[in-house]
Amino acid sequence: MVVNASKPRVSKLPPHELNVRKFAESRASELEGLHSVVANRLDNDFRSLRNKRKRTTGHDNRVARKKYRKKKRVESGNSCNNDRLEKHEKKVSRRTRRSIELKKNPQIGFCTSGDGTKRLRTHVWHAKRFSMTKLWGFHIPLGLHGRGRGSRALLKKLRSGVLIHDASYYGTVQLEGPQDKLLSVLSSVLVPPPSKHDGENFDDILSGDIFGRAVLHHTGKPSFPSIAPVTFMWRPLQHITIHKEGDNVNMLDELQSNDDGATFRRLWVCIHAAALKEASEALAHACMDMTGGSARCVSLEGHLATLELIGSKASELVEKMLPPACYIPEKSWYLKQCNAAENSYPGKLEKTPVSKINNQISSSLVIPLTVKDPRALTMKQQSIFTLGNSCNLLRYEEVETEHESESVVDYGDLWDASEGICPPMEESVACMEKYYQRNEYIGLGITNFGNQNALVKGKYSRYCPVLLLKNENHEDSVKRCSIVLPLSWVKVFWNAFVLNGAHAIGLREKHWIACEIGLPYFPWDYPDCSAYSYIMEMDATAMNQRATLCPPSQRPLEIPIPPPWDCVKLIVKPSSEVGNSLNQDEGHGSADVLGDNLVRNSVCGLSDTTTIPFEGFVARTSCSLNDFLNNISASHLLLFPRMKDQKTCMPKFMNDEEHLEQIANVSGMQCGNTRCFLRVHIHAHKEGVFEQGAVICAPDAADIMSWTRSDCDNHQLQIPQSSLRSHFVRLPSGKWALQIPEDPAVRESYRRPIGFITTGFVRGSKKPTAGALCEAILLARLRLEQWKALPARRRRKEIFVLVRNMRSTAYRLGLATIVLEQQEEDVKFM
């Protein structure tokens, strides 16, 4: 093809400037022709018809202005003219005032409603789409509108997308002081306490590379009711660079050491809003008792916020929406952080492909970042970090990005949030800036763009410090990560994540996900905490209100809320009566049980509205379970906490008949009234749906043989319909008690409770699992009975249990798996 070089080239781009007058003069003949056509059709009468004027005079306010001018002339001679005008001015409506208030974005603090309830920064977004509820002093999104269904579609999005939840209602408490003093404070209130015996895990937590999880207790009272599960992280040791004879020397900041030589550190403890007040008081008392005032406790409520991302594509969305302030041309920033983590953990990721680093780096990783404002990102700018194209436009933006990154020096990090961090640019200013940039590109130059940029410089910021917390990932579970950021930046990042594919969820949907993953959900799965009593009281009140709306003849069966944990009784039998001891009673009828409860309530002075505290404790670590068994001389029980030789111990005890006989003949257990509960996962053996609050009972050997036989599929154990309402009796004090039937015919279907389900099945799950708490000694005895009754080839690690929903008469067979036998600690939560 021959190209004519003498012919001038015509630019395909639009002109840089458009002259409107020249454009109109060139089209003058066309405009005059159109005007003549319209004039002929209207007979040169361009006035609007009278019958059409009523539709166009609704906006005319000439009458109102005439009245106002007349009123002004009458009051012109009055000396109090201004005061009277203020009286006649119309007040701003509540809707307008509230809209103005919610659009504000102060640097710290939550805006509140009339009763003092706090609103999240994303309150307007959630209130338009979610059912809101008042909980723990906040307006919190409960879930999508409807009857509480939609779990099947949610689980599908969990496996193929990203879910986001605004957890800004979590509070943060900062502990400051010498490092050894802070360690003593944590050892007195946390279970498990941070210890040097943890090895590399303790060193990584202390250096700030990973965060830790534990259960908070009062000072020196680990066996007392716990407060809440918490997440804690240390601020990394800061390094400074000094210039010495032309060389840069990296050394620790000398300001972090006091006169005694102890290192001054900072520590964050993240706490759920349901227990924030109680936890803050416990930490403050611990600082005073354990350090004598050398360490202090500072509340950061209203300074920080948290966004939780859950789903199979959470990492991809985080990498896309959180570009760092510095330009990384060779690879994405997330992989670079993973490589940095690889250097922090030598030997763990050696000879590992880059694609598998994300799943093999240490869990609970903390990644500090300074990221750009997501509103300034475009598809072309994002392609710089992923593809590295080299067209003209991208090359221009690449140079600009590198220039901006040079100005981000010593910006600080999120640990200085209490001292103040610049809020993001207002939405109107950001939109106007993007409008100017687009006009400048197409050739419509704007002269005041630089002036507009100078006005907002210093008042707002284009960069935000964040902390990216990577939660533990198992091969069969979904990815989870949390983003801790300043409170003033939440709305910006929330809108960016939602517009790029993240699906928002509320408390109800988050509870479903926790059950699907197999993690406990606070406070529903923590009956030993005071927050559990509060949430159960709210559920009972809501259920009673719904029942009062129905006629008395159609009201549903009243069930105990919360479950009557006192009904789980410990009856120690002699060694010769181990068989079927769990379901045998020693003559204690309903009158004895009711009388004992009445006396106990009268002594305690409980009223109808008083919530009975949870009696007992929940063992959430293998060490606490072993200590409990050793204290009551019950180390021989068939409980196998997570140990190194567990895989060899379990089959050995399962197949050793002589050893089982020796365990059955061992006596001397001194349990008394102490009850230790363990968290278990329950699966249905064949069929059945286990609901929240269902009672877990101990089956007989005949029940297991009948259910597990292949020729008997329709076996069902039921209690009589007549005894359903009298199975749990509500006392005048408001407490529920178990009534043991006296009729021998009814008593045959009675099975002794050993625990209750705290989280029921999720509809639509492929592997439905229920979370429950069962008494440890009763579980061990139940396992011993089953291993003795069944042949060795039919024995299982799981324990057979019976589950009955509160409003059902039928028992269903289930398989219970003790969590502490699968992992060493059960402190991870959602």
Side-chain angles (χ1 to χ4, degrees):
M1 181 178 178
V2 180
V3 180
N4 188 4
S6 61
K7 186 177 180 180
R9 296 183 180 181
V10 179
S11 177
K12 297 182 180 180
L13 295 177
H16 292 283
E17 294 183 0
L18 294 177
N19 194 329
V20 180
R21 179 171 297 178
K22 290 183 179 181
F23 177 80
E25 291 177 355
S26 62
R27 303 295 188 206
S29 59
E30 299 178 7
L31 295 176
E32 291 176 356
L34 291 175
H35 183 270
S36 61
V37 173
V38 176
N40 293 333
R41 291 182 180 180
L42 298 178
D43 295 334
N44 292 326
D45 186 8
F46 292 95
R47 296 177 301 176
S48 60
L49 300 179
R50 194 171 186 84
N51 60 345
K52 301 291 182 64
R53 292 180 183 177
K54 293 183 179 180
R55 302 181 183 178
T56 59
T57 57
H59 68 282
D60 193 358
N61 58 353
R62 288 179 294 179
V63 178
R65 285 186 295 174
K66 184 178 179 181
K67 291 182 178 179
Y68 175 74
R69 285 194 297 266
K70 182 179 179 181
K71 187 186 301 182
K72 189 174 182 180
R73 286 195 302 268
V74 172
E75 297 177 354
S76 60
N78 195 343
S79 59
C80 300
N81 187 22
N82 295 332
D83 297 339
R84 295 187 180 184
L85 285 177
E86 292 179 359
K87 293 181 181 179
H88 289 285
E89 288 182 357
K90 185 179 179 181
K91 293 183 178 180
V92 181
S93 63
R94 176 181 176 272
R95 180 179 180 181
T96 305
R97 286 186 281 107
R98 183 183 175 193
S99 177
I100 296 173
E101 180 184 1
L102 294 177
K103 286 182 180 179
K104 295 179 180 178
N105 190 25
Q107 191 172 357
I108 59 174
F110 298 93
C111 61
T112 58
S113 57
D115 58 352
T117 307
K118 304 174 185 176
R119 292 192 181 99
L120 303 177
R121 293 296 172 90
T122 58
H123 174 80
V124 177
W125 193 96
H126 281 103
K128 293 179 179 179
R129 300 165 177 87
F130 282 70
S131 298
M132 307 296 291
T133 181
K134 292 183 180 181
L135 271 179
W136 315 306
F138 284 88
H139 289 282
I140 299 180
L142 179 61
L144 295 175
H145 293 290
R147 298 180 296 172
R149 301 297 179 91
S151 56
R152 190 184 304 274
L154 180 73
L155 297 179
K156 184 178 180 180
K157 294 176 182 176
L158 177 68
R159 294 187 292 266
S160 61
V162 184
L163 306 176
I164 186 171
H165 178 71
D166 186 3
S168 301
Y169 50 86
Y170 273 74
T172 304
V173 176
Q174 179 173 286
L175 302 182
E176 301 176 350
Q179 177 177 309
D180 55 347
K181 299 295 183 180
L182 294 181
L183 287 175
S184 63
V185 171
L186 296 182
S187 301
S188 64
V189 296
L190 294 184
V191 174
S195 174
K196 295 183 180 180
H197 300 287
D198 297 339
E200 295 182 0
N201 191 22
F202 174 76
D203 297 334
D204 296 336
I205 292 178
L206 196 61
S207 63
D209 294 332
I210 64 175
F211 61 89
R213 294 187 185 274
V215 180
L216 183 65
H217 294 260
H218 290 279
T219 308
K221 299 178 181 179
S223 60
F224 279 65
S226 57
I227 299 176
V230 298
T231 302
F232 62 95
M233 64 189 80
W234 292 82
R235 181 174 188 175
L237 289 173
Q238 295 180 348
H239 293 260
I240 60 174
T241 302
I242 60 175
H243 299 277
K244 184 177 181 181
E245 296 181 357
D247 297 332
N248 295 335
V249 181
N250 192 11
M251 61 183 299
L252 287 176
D253 191 352
E254 297 179 356
L255 297 177
Q256 292 189 352
S257 300
N258 53 16
D259 298 337
D260 300 334
T263 306
F264 183 85
R265 300 293 301 274
R266 288 183 181 179
L267 172 74
W268 278 357
V269 182
C270 302
I271 311 162
H272 195 277
L276 180 59
K277 183 178 179 181
E278 184 180 2
S280 301
E281 295 177 354
L283 290 173
H285 287 304
C287 290
M288 292 299 298
D289 297 341
M290 303 300 298
T291 65
S294 59
R296 65 170 185 164
C297 178
V298 181
S299 176
L300 297 181
E301 184 180 6
H303 291 82
L304 302 175
T306 304
L307 295 180
E308 298 179 352
L309 295 174
I310 312 168
S312 59
K313 297 183 179 179
S315 300
E316 290 82 350
L317 185 60
V318 168
E319 182 179 352
K320 175 183 178 182
M321 298 309 302
L322 296 182
C326 298
Y327 176 64
I328 308 175
E330 66 276 2
K331 59 181 67 178
S332 64
W333 66 265
Y334 191 74
L335 293 180
K336 186 172 182 180
Q337 294 294 337
C338 293
N339 292 336
E342 180 181 1
N343 298 329
S344 300
Y345 305 99
K348 294 183 180 180
L349 303 177
E350 187 176 359
K351 297 181 181 180
T352 304
V354 176
S355 59
K356 296 183 180 180
I357 290 180
N358 184 35
N359 294 327
Q360 297 186 12
I361 60 178
S362 177
S363 62
S364 307
L365 187 65
V366 180
I367 304 176
L369 289 170
T370 299
V371 299
K372 304 172 75 174
D373 191 336
R375 296 172 299 182
L377 299 177
T378 61
M379 296 302 296
K380 303 179 183 59
Q381 286 177 328
Q382 291 173 8
S383 62
I384 296 176
F385 296 96
T386 57
L387 301 178
N389 295 334
S390 59
C391 63
N392 295 335
L393 177 61
L394 297 184
R395 187 182 301 116
Y396 168 75
E397 290 181 351
E398 181 178 342
V399 174
E400 183 182 2
T401 305
E402 292 179 355
H403 176 71
E404 290 178 358
S405 64
E406 294 177 358
S407 61
V408 188
V409 179
D410 296 334
Y411 179 79
D413 55 11
L414 196 62
W415 291 87
D416 300 325
S418 59
E419 300 176 1
I421 294 179
C422 293
M425 188 181 299
E426 292 184 0
E427 192 69 26
S428 59
V429 179
C431 293
M432 188 61 64
E433 184 183 44
K434 188 174 294 186
Y435 170 75
Y436 290 150
Q437 291 177 352
R438 292 173 180 173
N439 287 345
E440 184 180 6
Y441 167 67
I442 65 175
L444 297 177
I446 304 298
T447 57
N448 62 347
F449 173 66
N451 298 333
Q452 183 73 15
N453 194 15
L455 292 176
V456 300
K457 186 177 181 181
K459 184 178 181 182
Y460 305 108
S461 176
R462 300 177 184 270
Y463 304 97
C464 174
V466 300
L467 286 180
L468 181 61
L469 310 182
K470 177 184 177 295
N471 292 276
E472 182 176 0
N473 289 336
H474 299 286
E475 295 181 358
D476 299 333
S477 63
V478 296
K479 300 177 182 178
R480 296 187 300 117
C481 61
S482 302
I483 304 173
V484 183
L485 67 163
L487 187 62
S488 58
W489 284 83
V490 171
K491 193 183 300 184
V492 174
F493 283 92
W494 176 269
N495 295 333
F497 278 112
V498 172
L499 291 176
N500 282 271
H503 181 77
I505 60 174
L507 292 180
R508 185 192 298 123
E509 291 85 1
K510 189 180 177 183
H511 197 175
W512 292 340
I513 295 171
C515 183
E516 178 70 12
I517 299 176
L519 293 177
Y521 186 60
F522 183 82
W524 281 266
D525 289 328
Y526 289 81
D528 54 334
C529 301
S530 58
Y532 174 83
S533 303
Y534 175 76
I535 200 69
M536 288 294 106
E537 185 178 356
M538 290 190 60
D539 292 347
T541 303
M543 187 189 67
N544 294 334
Q545 290 179 354
R546 289 194 299 266
T548 54
L549 299 177
C550 301
S553 60
Q554 299 180 2
R555 290 179 182 175
L557 175 66
E558 187 179 8
I559 59 176
I561 298 180
W565 297 95
D566 292 341
C567 298
V568 180
K569 300 291 183 180
L570 286 176
I571 300 178
V572 181
K573 295 286 185 178
S575 59
S576 60
E577 301 180 9
V578 174
N580 296 337
S581 62
L582 292 179
N583 293 319
Q584 295 178 359
D585 191 76
E586 295 186 350
H588 295 286
S590 60
D592 295 336
V593 176
L594 295 179
D596 180 40
N597 289 324
L598 287 173
V599 172
R600 190 184 308 168
N601 291 339
S602 62
V603 172
C604 297
L606 298 176
S607 60
D608 295 341
T609 59
T610 303
T611 305
I612 307 299
F614 180 82
E615 297 182 1
F617 76 100
V618 180
R620 295 189 173 90
T621 61
S622 299
C623 295
S624 60
L625 179 58
N626 288 327
D627 294 341
F628 169 75
L629 296 177
N630 294 330
N631 292 336
I632 64 174
S633 302
S635 57
H636 59 278
L637 293 179
L638 295 180
L639 295 176
F640 306 95
R642 184 69 175 176
M643 296 180 296
K644 296 181 179 180
D645 55 347
Q646 182 194 13
K647 294 183 179 180
T648 59
C649 291
M650 184 77 74
K652 176 182 177 182
F653 289 123
M654 195 181 302
N655 300 322
D656 193 349
E657 299 290 345
E658 297 181 358
H659 189 73
L660 293 179
E661 292 292 339
Q662 295 176 1
I663 294 177
N665 295 328
V666 171
S667 59
M669 197 169 64
Q670 304 173 357
C671 59
N673 294 326
T674 304
R675 290 181 297 178
C676 173
F677 288 87
L678 299 177
R679 196 170 70 89
V680 298
H681 292 156
I682 299 182
H683 303 267
H685 180 257
K686 288 186 178 180
E687 60 181 2
V689 176
F690 303 155
E691 300 176 353
Q692 180 178 343
V695 58
I696 304 174
C697 301
D700 292 337
D703 299 333
I704 301 175
M705 297 297 293
S706 301
W707 249 297
T708 55
R709 284 190 309 177
S710 59
D711 57 344
C712 186
D713 295 337
N714 298 326
H715 176 77
Q716 284 190 357
L717 178 65
Q718 295 186 353
I719 61 175
Q721 186 69 31
S722 58
S723 62
L724 182 61
R725 292 183 176 272
S726 59
H727 194 79
F728 289 102
V729 181
R730 187 168 187 172
L731 304 177
S733 61
K735 185 178 180 180
W736 291 82
L738 174 65
Q739 185 174 9
I740 301 176
E742 298 179 356
D743 187 2
V746 179
R747 200 163 183 171
E748 292 180 358
S749 61
Y750 170 78
R751 298 295 182 267
R752 182 172 293 279
I754 63 174
F756 293 93
I757 288 182
T758 56
T759 299
F761 280 179
V762 179
R763 298 180 182 272
S765 176
K766 295 182 178 180
K767 296 180 180 179
T769 305
L773 290 177
C774 295
E775 211 284 324
I777 298 177
L778 297 181
L779 277 177
R781 288 185 170 273
L782 189 58
R783 173 179 279 172
L784 177 60
E785 293 178 9
Q786 295 176 7
W787 283 4
K788 290 186 62 178
L790 297 176
R793 60 182 178 84
R794 297 183 60 185
R795 293 171 185 170
R796 309 182 60 162
K797 298 179 181 180
E798 298 85 1
I799 303 174
F800 286 101
V801 295
L802 294 179
V803 183
R804 183 182 65 83
N805 296 328
M806 285 294 183
R807 290 191 174 93
S808 175
T809 60
Y811 288 96
R812 299 292 184 182
L813 189 65
L815 294 172
T817 303
I818 301 177
V819 176
L820 283 184
E821 292 183 350
Q822 307 296 323
Q823 55 194 31
E824 186 175 357
E825 297 176 354
D826 186 23
V827 295
K828 297 180 177 63
F829 67 99
M830 282 190 68

